[in-house]
Amino acid sequence: MKIAIGSDHAGFQYKEAIKQMLIGLGHEVIDKGTYAATPSVDYPLFIRPVAEAVAAGEVERGVVLGGSGNGEAIAANRVRGVRCGLCWNEESARLCRQHNDANVISLGERMMSEETALKLVQIWLDTPFEGGRHLARIQELDKY
């Protein structure tokens, strides 16, 4: 799978760890930055390119990170065609794929351990979209 990844300074450490995990799993990773933990940067500059790559079909999925993941999820969801889920535990990662067909995951480095972040990305990658009753809801979202 081709996956874009991006973070601000507060998500940089986990971005690098997730990138290495994805490469180790055989995925092609497109790093949209930032490329260092300092200086402080504005997250939209690095999150929007990930979301745009997903929306344009240049990549199949996207991973975005920040301190809390909240602003990153908001920024990604501003791009039409992106369904970004902010995840904080295993169930949220599973459900954002099963029920929402999330094509981007947002994580907060200050909210969880690195081990948890890696596990959530793995769950998100492995979980298929359930379809069924959820498909009509996704189609409604895609109208906006």
Side-chain angles (χ1 to χ4, degrees):
M1 190 180 307
K2 196 169 184 180
I3 302 169
I5 192 167
S7 75
D8 69 359
H9 58 284
F12 175 75
Q13 181 180 327
Y14 286 13
K15 178 181 73 82
E16 293 300 304
I18 291 167
K19 181 169 66 172
Q20 291 310 308
M21 180 190 84
L22 293 171
I23 291 168
L25 292 170
H27 300 289
E28 180 181 350
V29 178
I30 310 301
D31 189 342
K32 300 289 188 174
T34 193
Y35 304 106
T38 57
S40 176
V41 296
D42 296 329
Y43 61 85
L45 301 175
F46 303 97
I47 304 312
R48 187 162 184 95
V50 172
E52 288 173 338
V54 171
E58 296 167 11
V59 297
E60 295 163 76
R61 303 247 190 116
V63 178
V64 297
L65 301 105
S68 72
N70 283 299
E72 293 73 23
I74 292 167
N77 280 318
R78 293 278 176 106
V79 176
R80 185 184 178 107
V82 169
R83 292 175 306 281
C84 179
L86 173 61
C87 296
W88 57 90
N89 62 22
E90 293 180 26
E91 188 69 2
S92 65
R94 190 173 2 272
L95 289 174
C96 83
R97 284 289 307 141
Q98 281 181 342
H99 292 188
N100 308 115
D101 197 18
N103 50 16
V104 178
I105 187 173
S106 183
L107 303 170
E109 186 168 316
R110 296 175 181 154
M111 305 291 119
M112 65 191 68
S113 68
E114 183 177 302
E115 179 183 0
T116 297
L118 294 169
K119 184 166 187 113
L120 298 186
V121 171
Q122 186 67 62
I123 290 167
W124 175 75
L125 287 171
D126 293 343
T127 303
F129 176 50
E130 220 171 63
R133 71 185 192 279
H134 305 292
L135 183 58
R137 297 166 186 160
I138 299 305
Q139 291 169 337
E140 282 295 317
L141 286 174
D142 289 343
K143 290 180 183 178
Y144 301 101

